[in-house]
Amino acid sequence: MATSGFDAIVVGLGGMGSAAAAHLAARGARVLGLEQFTPAHALGSSHGDTRIIRQAYFEHPDYVPLLTRSYELFADLDAADPGLLVETGGLMLGTRDSQPVAGSLASAQRWDLPHELLETAEIRRRFPTFAPAADTVALFEQRAGFVRPERTVTAQLGRADRQGADLRFGEQVQSWSATGEGVRVRTSAGEHRADRLVVTAGAWSPRLLADLGLPLAVERQLLFWFDPLGGAPQFGVGRHPVFIWEQPSGLQLYGFPAVDGPDGGVKVAFFRAGGPADPDRLDREIHPAEVERMRATLARCLPRAAGTFQRGVACLYTTTPDEHFVIAPHPEHPNVVVAAGFSGHGFKFVPVVGEILADLTLDATTVHGLGLFDPGRFAAS
Ligand SMILES: Cc1cc2nc3c(=O)[nH]c(=O)nc-3n(C[C@H](O)[C@H](O)[C@H](O)COP(=O)(O)OP(=O)(O)OC[C@H]3O[C@@H](n4cnc5c(N)ncnc54)[C@H](O)[C@@H]3O)c2cc1C
């Protein structure tokens, strides 16, 4: 059955798409949202209880103004669902010239963000769960913390729904086309038409945006929960911060406090330790060698976290060569906006990306700086 009369169709209602639908609907647009799975499902990139949020951004100082806005928008979501955003403090650890330490310091200085630089002994004294080697220092940021991804997606879908968006689940988009007149989307259930299209398909973006030829790599990544030795309270919120720790190998270990009560596990992960993946054939099993690799790192860095393995979950990254996002109007179709390639660090931007996508869709411009995210940077030179 063909439907029309929509101002915008949003394809994919995960982190970014649920935010786009909420912001578009709040601004009065008639929105159709299409999602192949269920609301806040665990088959894409936006599941696993917690996501780090921080402002002294080591990836590039240009992200900081976006993060300032994202904090405001997350605070608004948290006001309706307290605990969705928790500022626990965050430690960025490594050698003095490592990316987490040097990059965070550069962003903190550039934007005058409150921070502390901690020497090895000070890290050990203030954060006894950490066992830093003698050359390890840290930047501490009080405002860092975590957000809850499933609750964020659910809250954004709720807002979109209450503003009149038509949200359909279990409906897979198979193809789309655009002309100067509007867009047409073919799905497992039929065909829909609208004036504009927003593509927020996460790990499925390479298929839906094949015409753009973006160099996106889809990767399998793992989250691990361990029962701490000596009980969870030492890893509780307020005692144990979120952290990102560059290892001598260059690999980053990161983790969270134990968030779910006295029996809660400590969640840890490696940033980009996984291999290429097909999102429809993802190996979701956590293998013993993967657990042991993580446990060996914990035994060295956070020895009291290296207790019994509770559980693990697989998740998908969609990574660009420079690990910066793609957010832009489609170069050939100004009525199509794309947001992809969040490279394993997109969740903390979810609400501001929703705002940007609504801006680009309804106004064809935004006050937010998108220079880092231009797909034109991949054009063969
Ligand atoms: C293990 C892990 C840890 C992470 N940690 C952090 C962190 O600490 N901090 C941080 O900021 N970021 C983190 N990230 C990254 C962040 O979670 C992602 O960048 C973000 O969730 C991406 O959102 P998305 O909307 O692009 O993808 P998704 O949330 O996966 O949404 C895409 C949606 O599109 C739907 N879809 C796709 N194709 C179709 C189709 N054809 N028809 C209909 N629907 C379709 C999918 O089903 C899905 O629901 C982490 C990611 C992982 C995997």
Side-chain angles (χ1 to χ4, degrees), residues 71 85-89 142-146 237:
Y71 266 77
L85 163 67
V86 181
E87 295 183 13
T88 57
Q142 186 61 53
R143 289 213 62 195
F146 59 86
V237 172

Side-chain angles (χ1 to χ4, degrees), residues 11-17 34-37 41 44-46 51-52 171-173 200-202 204 208 221 223 254 256 315-317 342 344-348:
V11 178
L13 297 175
M16 305 301 168
L34 299 172
E35 166 58 49
Q36 61 185 344
F37 300 131
H41 63 85
S45 304
S46 298
R51 290 287 186 269
I52 291 179
E171 182 166 345
Q172 187 178 50
V173 171
T200 44
W204 291 265
L208 281 173
Q221 305 292 340
L223 295 167
Y254 67 93
F256 298 79
C315 180
L316 292 159
Y317 283 6
F342 288 93
H345 63 113
F347 206 88
K348 64 184 78 60

Side-chain angles (χ1 to χ4, degrees), residues 217-230:
V218 176
E219 299 169 353
R220 172 178 176 268
Q221 305 292 340
L222 302 178
L223 295 167
F224 302 86
W225 284 259
F226 285 86
D227 272 335
L229 301 164

